[in-house]
Amino acid sequence: METKWWHKSTVYQIYPRSFNDSSGDGIGDIKGIIEKLDYLSLLGIDVIWLSPVYESPNDDNGYDISDYYTIHEEYGTMEDMERLIKEAADRNIKIIMDLVINHTSDEHPWFMESKKSTDNPYRDFYIWRDGRGDNLPPNDIQSVFSGPAWEFDEASGQYYFHLFSKKQPDLNLHNETVRHHLYDMMKFWLDKGIGGFRMDVIDLIGKEIDHGIVGNGPKLHHYLQEMHEKVLAGYDVMTVGETPSATTDMAKLYTGPGRNELDMVFTFEHMSLDEVKGKGKWELKPLDLVELKVMFCKWQTNLHQHGWNSLYWNNHDQPRIVSRWGNDQEFRIESAKMLATVLHLMQGTPYVYQGEEIGMTNIRFESIDEYKDIETLNLFKEKIKEGKDASDVMASIYAKGRDNARTPMQWDASQHAGFTGGTPWIPVNSNHHSINVNSAVEDPNSIFHHYRKLIAMRKEMDTIVHGKFELINGDHPEVFAYTRKLGNEVILVIANFYGRHPDFILPDALSFERAEQLISNYPDSPVDPKHVQLRPYEALVFKLCGVK
Ligand code: NOJ
């Protein structure tokens, strides 16, 4: 497979609202990002994925866009954005923007026109249907943010479709004019020199509402190929699709060489392994490590040479990984490094979400009033209405709420963690006194420097980029171990996922002359990987020489 620049890259996601506030209004901004580019350069990342900075009433923090061509004044100006692209490029960093085209804000001029009358030229830009009589919506599809996915419009007597909040009406991508407007908008940004797009819930754009099809509609791949031909083919950029419903077979269609669709997609399969099957994200069960290994093995194997993986533990929609599958107390540092090691040495493009590189943890606000996320607030209202106990609902929110990832970036130990000189839009985690960038950069043994090393290793070792993945001792309930092989080079990763001391014995079939240690998360780690008793969350990585 021909090596593309993004095969060797690591992406860093910035949630601008919570990254760095340069103006003192309590909200992160683009100038604030520019101030931190040297920090990102030190970490060694190649690409920044910027969550939306477009004009928006912020019902869903920017994922409800009212003008695709304007920067929201909270974040700055177009000049600031152009400067960010340039200053990042000066440090060999590309900026990829969030492309939210499944829906707009209800305050987007297209929707405001569309709402005016059934014969308005923009009516068909959105999805309008008659109800079923008796005040019933057209069908029973539910919104991701609770309640029906249909909103009644008194004036025209019809319902419009919104898979997310009612302020996020879904666009009708079956309308060719809509698609062409979107392609023009993509070119506008690409011509400014951005490095590509992260495409929000892109698997929904082929929906066939009248047939109850939401994800993976019959025309989805046709639209993506059209987008490639009309827009992307003209630029050397990277694209990553958010595809909650993707299987590996679907991922091969999206990302297979020569398919001319996307470069990679985000799988969600690993993100649902701590949920009770079929009960949605809030009903929790403990993670079964064997399931996690089987799942990763499937993606690594099926996409090897047939597509490309994105590797992530975190983003702005997920709880913090060290709190979720690590130990954010006694073994915070060890477990954060272990999780990073397991992920970054697989095949694919790794994504680091702001604060992950210093081991930031989940938040527990006492009162629901301190939460800001629309999904969390709607859930709380709905569950209380259903008669659920408030403390049970809060327990789910503590574990899975999206605000876990959205508290301000912890830069230093000062008030508000150096994020703002004003009052932050959402409170800072009080653990910023000990968990912050300043102390992480100063400490050579910090989580930050571990990430830095992993990111650098990917650039230096082709085996990390192209090697074949093989699971070892797949049914071991506590240890995640695998090899990556390319030619004569073999990398061996052994990681203890829990706080106990399991034995780990390498299979005899893996015979070699000498093992060279590449990275580990304890200072005095064992030098022979054949038989080890692992310490809590210990992660060991070796290069095996003289493999037979
Ligand atoms: C996925 C985004 O990541 C999430 O934050 C947003 O709420 C929905 N798509 C709707 O745009």
Side-chain angles (χ1 to χ4, degrees), residues 60 63 103 145 164 198 200-201 242 316-317 402 406:
D60 185 19
Y63 284 90
H103 44 266
F145 293 161
F164 296 91
R198 174 268 185 185
D200 193 63
V201 286
E242 190 202 24
H316 63 294
D317 294 331
R402 304 195 299 182
R406 299 179 181 185

Side-chain angles (χ1 to χ4, degrees), residues 293 469-474 479-483 492-495 504:
K293 290 193 281 184
F469 174 98
E470 228 168 88
L471 201 56
I472 296 177
N473 298 6
V479 179
F480 194 156
Y482 61 84
T483 52
L492 167 67
V493 178
I494 304 172
F504 186 78

